[in-house]
């Protein structure tokens, strides 16, 4: 019995030692596991956070005007075909289909709201385009933009696209062309720039070259200026490529195109601000021109001088066409006119000398 107690005590001692060893091994493994967790898995949560950030802020795609809009998308050829028809006026909405244009979609939505009203007039058609060639030809360099053609005469919309009714009222208010076309034949009779009548409106005239694309592109903006000044200042334009006499009379430098002259009470004022925008031009015509010193308007050519210039042009045209007999006949006519002018100048000088002697 005593031996059994000894054996039992020995068995308990051995069991206690085995349990202590297992407990120590378990603690050691737990320590290793904790150390591994502290060192290795740290990158996993970071990667997870990065991925979630990428998903929440994706790269913005360029906004494009797609087929969900009903207004027809056209190119330069289609626009030219519509304008050649000359039966309808044309509204052209410009958007940028190449790069991100956050406002183009919203602006087009506003135009879409009045599309039916515009078409219901029976004489206005609406299209949209992202053709850069058409935009450059009309001086459009920001998007979205809108140009309204009235009998092929463009005008640039200078408002915003926040309210479709505002756009619609602007279109209806700009049906008429406000700019006068001036030439060698009608410039002075129309403007009376040299000796205007008392109380007549001033004239603001743009000299441009229709054969120079960059210069010709300003016509739409100039029409906007004309409507801003309507009833206050009369606005006109001269194509220097066909009106040589007026161009020479006012010494227009064709290298500086376009050129703007304001005619006020027999004097002329040149717009020299490099910023050729609607606001600057309008303010100049109303008040800013007074900050300059005006120059006397050159005297218009006489009837004989006009006849001489016309005859000279006929001679040059005849020479270009190799019409020898016509050139000789017109050349003789020019000589007769030249002698007539010399005789007139001689008579005027004789009269002046006679009056001096009498005095």
């Amino acid at each position: 019995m005593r031996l059994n107690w000894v054996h039992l005590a020995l068995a308990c001692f051995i069991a206690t030692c085995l349990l202590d060893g297992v407990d120590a091994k378990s603690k050691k493994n737990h320590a290793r596991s904790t150390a591994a967790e502290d060192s290795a898995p740290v990158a996993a949560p970071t990667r997870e956070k990065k991925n979630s950030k990428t998903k929440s802020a994706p790269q913005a795609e360029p906004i494009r005007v797609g087929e969900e809009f009903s207004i027809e998308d056209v190119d330069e050829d289609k626009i030219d075909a519509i304008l050649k028809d000359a039966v309808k006026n044309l509204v052209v909405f410009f958007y940028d289909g190449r790069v991100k244009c956050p406002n183009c979609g919203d602006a087009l939505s506003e135009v879409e709201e009045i599309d039916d009203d515009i078409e219901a007039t029976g004489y206005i058609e609406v299209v949209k385009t992202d053709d850069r060639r058409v935009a450059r030809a009309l001086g459009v360099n920001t998007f979205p933009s809108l140009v309204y053609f009235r009998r092929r005469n463009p005008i640039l919309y200078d408002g915003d696209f926040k309210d479709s009714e505002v756009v619609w009222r602007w279109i209806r208010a700009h049906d008429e062309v406000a700019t006068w076309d001036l030439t060698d034949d009608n410039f002075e009779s129309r403007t009376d720039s040299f000796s205007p009548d008392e109380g007549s409106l001033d004239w603001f005239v743009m000299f441009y070259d229709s054969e120079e694309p960059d210069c010709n592109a300003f016509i739409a903006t100039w029409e906007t200026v004309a409507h801003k000044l309507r009833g206050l200042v009369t606005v006109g334009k001269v194509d220097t490529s066909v009106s040589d006499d007026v161009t020479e009379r006012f010494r227009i430098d064709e290298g500086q195109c376009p050129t703007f002259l304001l005619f006020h009470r027999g004097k002329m004022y040149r717009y020299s601000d490099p910023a050729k925008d609607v606001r600057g031009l309008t303010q100049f015509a109303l008040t800013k021109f007074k900050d300059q010193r005006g120059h006397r308007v050159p005297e218009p050519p006489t009837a004989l001088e006009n006849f001489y210039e016309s005859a000279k042009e006929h001679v040059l045209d005849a020479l270009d066409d190799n019409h020898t007999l016509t050139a000789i006949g017109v050349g003789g006519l020019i000589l007769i006119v030249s002698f007539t002018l010399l005789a007139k100048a001689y008579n005027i000088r004789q009269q002046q000398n006679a009056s001096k002697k009498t005095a």
Side-chain angles (χ1 to χ4, degrees):
M1 184 70 178
R2 184 179 297 172
L3 182 61
N4 291 338
W5 280 106
V6 173
H7 289 164
L8 181 60
L10 181 61
C12 290
F13 176 77
I14 294 172
T16 302
C17 291
L18 290 174
L19 289 174
D20 290 339
V22 171
D23 185 60
K25 185 176 182 181
S26 176
K27 290 181 179 179
K28 184 176 182 181
N29 290 336
H30 178 70
R32 288 178 179 176
S33 176
T34 303
E37 288 177 0
D38 291 339
S39 60
V42 173
T46 305
R47 191 180 301 115
E48 213 171 277
K49 185 176 180 181
K50 183 177 180 181
N51 291 338
S52 63
K53 183 178 180 180
T54 303
K55 291 179 181 179
S56 62
Q59 182 68 30
E61 292 292 330
I63 296 178
R64 300 183 183 277
V65 179
E67 297 180 356
E68 67 272 13
F69 297 103
S70 61
I71 295 178
E72 182 183 4
D73 207 322
V74 300
D75 58 10
E76 182 180 24
D77 294 335
K78 178 65 175 179
I79 291 176
D80 289 342
I82 297 173
L83 293 177
K84 284 180 181 178
D85 189 10
V87 175
K88 289 186 175 183
N89 292 348
L90 181 65
V91 173
V92 183
F93 177 86
F94 289 90
Y95 67 94
D96 197 337
R98 297 184 183 180
V99 298
K100 183 172 62 176
C101 181
N103 299 323
C104 288
D106 294 338
L108 184 54
S109 296
E110 294 296 327
V111 179
E112 286 274 353
E113 289 186 8
I114 58 174
D115 180 27
D116 292 339
D117 294 330
I118 295 175
E119 298 285 354
T121 62
Y123 66 92
I124 308 176
E125 187 173 349
V126 187
V127 297
K128 65 178 183 289
T129 186
D130 64 344
D131 194 321
R132 292 295 184 92
R133 295 169 299 177
V134 182
R136 283 195 298 269
L138 294 170
V140 173
N141 48 35
T142 58
F143 303 94
S145 289
L146 185 143
V147 173
Y148 181 28
F149 286 89
R150 297 81 29 85
R151 297 177 299 283
R152 301 181 186 179
N153 293 278
I155 181 171
L156 180 66
Y157 176 62
D158 63 335
D160 56 45
F161 295 91
K162 296 179 180 179
D163 188 346
S164 59
E165 288 301 320
V166 173
V167 180
W168 176 227
R169 286 197 297 268
W170 179 89
I171 293 174
R172 296 307 301 268
H174 292 78
D175 276 340
E176 297 298 325
V177 178
T179 305
W180 290 89
D181 287 319
L182 303 173
T183 65
D184 289 340
D185 297 330
N186 70 2
F187 184 92
E188 193 58 34
S189 62
R190 182 77 69 183
T191 64
D192 286 330
S193 62
F194 182 71
S195 56
D197 296 332
E198 186 69 26
S200 61
L201 295 180
D202 296 341
W203 275 81
F204 199 16
V205 180
M206 176 180 74
F207 295 81
Y208 73 104
D209 188 346
S210 61
E211 297 178 355
E212 292 293 333
D214 292 340
C215 189
N216 192 59
F218 204 80
I219 289 180
T221 301
W222 189 238
E223 179 67 14
T224 305
V225 173
H227 271 272
K228 293 285 187 183
L229 296 173
R230 201 168 188 176
L232 302 172
V233 178
T234 309
V235 177
K237 62 180 186 290
V238 176
D239 185 355
T240 59
S241 66
V242 296
S243 298
D244 297 334
D245 296 342
V246 177
T247 303
E248 293 176 4
R249 177 186 173 191
F250 295 106
R251 299 179 181 178
I252 301 300
D253 183 1
E254 297 185 19
Q256 298 178 355
C257 187
T259 299
F260 306 95
L261 293 180
L262 179 79
F263 297 94
H264 172 74
R265 297 180 181 177
K267 292 186 177 182
M268 59 183 187
Y269 303 79
R270 185 183 298 265
Y271 181 81
S272 56
D273 196 321
K276 298 178 176 64
D277 53 43
V278 174
R279 181 181 177 85
L281 288 163
T282 303
Q283 289 182 344
F284 176 81
L286 294 175
T287 57
K288 290 291 185 181
F289 74 92
K290 297 177 183 178
D291 296 339
Q292 295 184 9
R293 178 183 177 184
H295 297 277
R296 185 68 187 171
V297 174
E299 187 175 356
T302 63
L304 281 175
E305 290 171 339
N306 284 331
F307 179 79
Y308 173 80
E309 290 295 332
S310 177
K312 183 176 70 173
E313 290 178 2
H314 279 84
V315 170
L316 295 176
D317 292 340
L319 290 175
D320 290 338
D321 296 336
N322 293 322
H323 294 166
T324 307
L325 293 178
T326 304
I328 293 174
V330 178
L333 186 61
I334 290 178
L335 289 176
I336 294 174
V337 173
S338 300
F339 281 121
T340 303
L341 291 174
L342 290 173
K344 182 180 179 181
Y346 178 78
N347 290 333
I348 292 174
R349 181 172 295 180
Q350 290 296 326
Q351 293 175 0
Q352 290 177 345
N353 291 335
S355 61
K356 289 181 180 179
K357 289 180 181 179
T358 304

